[in-house]
Amino acid sequence: MDMGTNFGTTQVPKLTSEARNLLEFESAQPRNDRRKEAAIRDTFGYSWVRYQQKLHALVTTQAAVAAYPMVCARVQRISGRNGLRQSVAS
């Protein structure tokens, strides 16, 4: 009985082209400023809020973390900090 042949063969779901484009964009433009907000509207047609909603939902998926671990970790870290600020302010 060969117990080691299937080790590490877990299939990671693939990213959609939209998801990949969002993560590539975030990777290329990590700073949050007015220029980025305008680029989001020009590139994706999203408002800043919609972009953030899509990005934050995406960075918790297994496929996104596998493909873009640094981007996902950074976005999660920043959103965690912002959540902490909001809860302290309440």
Side-chain angles (χ1 to χ4, degrees):
M1 182 180 227
D2 187 7
M3 300 293 275
T5 57
N6 291 330
F7 181 73
T9 59
T10 303
Q11 294 292 325
V12 175
K14 297 207 181 233
L15 291 171
T16 65
S17 60
E18 178 189 22
R20 190 169 297 283
N21 289 340
L22 282 169
L23 291 165
E24 286 288 333
F25 182 86
E26 186 62 28
S27 177
Q29 298 197 24
R31 295 184 59 128
N32 294 332
D33 58 17
R34 292 286 180 194
R35 287 178 290 180
K36 182 176 180 179
E37 188 173 342
I40 289 167
R41 191 168 300 281
D42 292 342
T43 304
F44 301 107
Y46 301 150
S47 69
W48 173 259
V49 172
R50 185 65 181 141
Y51 172 80
Q52 291 295 319
Q53 289 171 338
K54 285 183 165 282
L55 182 65
H56 289 282
L58 179 61
V59 299
T60 60
T61 65
Q62 183 181 15
V65 171
Y68 296 87
M70 298 297 285
V71 173
C72 293
R74 181 178 49 77
V75 171
Q76 290 174 5
R77 184 181 68 246
I78 290 169
S79 68
R81 252 190 280 158
N82 291 340
L84 178 62
R85 282 188 206 137
Q86 289 174 356
S87 66
V88 169
S90 299

